[in-house]
Amino acid sequence: MKINDSTPLIPSGKEPGRVDVAQKPPLPAAADPKAAALKGPAVSLDISLTAKLAEIKEELKTDKTATDKLLLDKIRAKIDSGEFEIDYQKIANGMLGDTIAALGSKVRSK
């Protein structure tokens, strides 16, 4: 008796405990919540929100520049009129604070 090696001895799907994947019907979306979740886009971008954020950032840059310019103009006007006063104590405290911070970071880095 001659046996053909290319044909399976047990027909697919007939073996106990096995199911042929090609014959298996797809699961409905309600039965598999993970599959339903994966059908949508991987990333959801709200373009209008992104555009608004970019617009606000641009406004902040513009406002900061305008605010700095106004502050500089006020200081220049006080200097020109002779009304500008130097707060030596505030400058000394700032310098001392910067020095302490620099020394503290130098000690921590060793």
Side-chain angles (χ1 to χ4, degrees), residues 31-45:
D32 191 5
K34 288 182 184 178
L38 293 176
K39 283 185 180 181
V43 176
S44 175
L45 294 176

Side-chain angles (χ1 to χ4, degrees), residues 23-24 30 38 41 47 60 66 74 79-80 86 89 91-92:
Q23 295 176 355
K24 184 178 177 184
L38 293 176
I47 301 299
L60 287 175
K74 286 180 184 179
I79 291 172
D80 290 340
I86 299 173
Q89 188 63 39
I91 293 172

Side-chain angles (χ1 to χ4, degrees), residues 31-69:
D32 191 5
K34 288 182 184 178
L38 293 176
K39 283 185 180 181
V43 176
S44 175
L45 294 176
D46 187 1
I47 301 299
S48 62
L49 181 62
T50 306
K52 286 179 185 177
L53 182 61
E55 184 179 318
I56 290 171
K57 283 183 178 180
E58 190 62 37
E59 286 177 9
L60 287 175
K61 287 180 186 176
T62 306
D63 290 343
K64 184 170 174 26
T65 305
T67 304
D68 290 347
K69 184 168 176 23

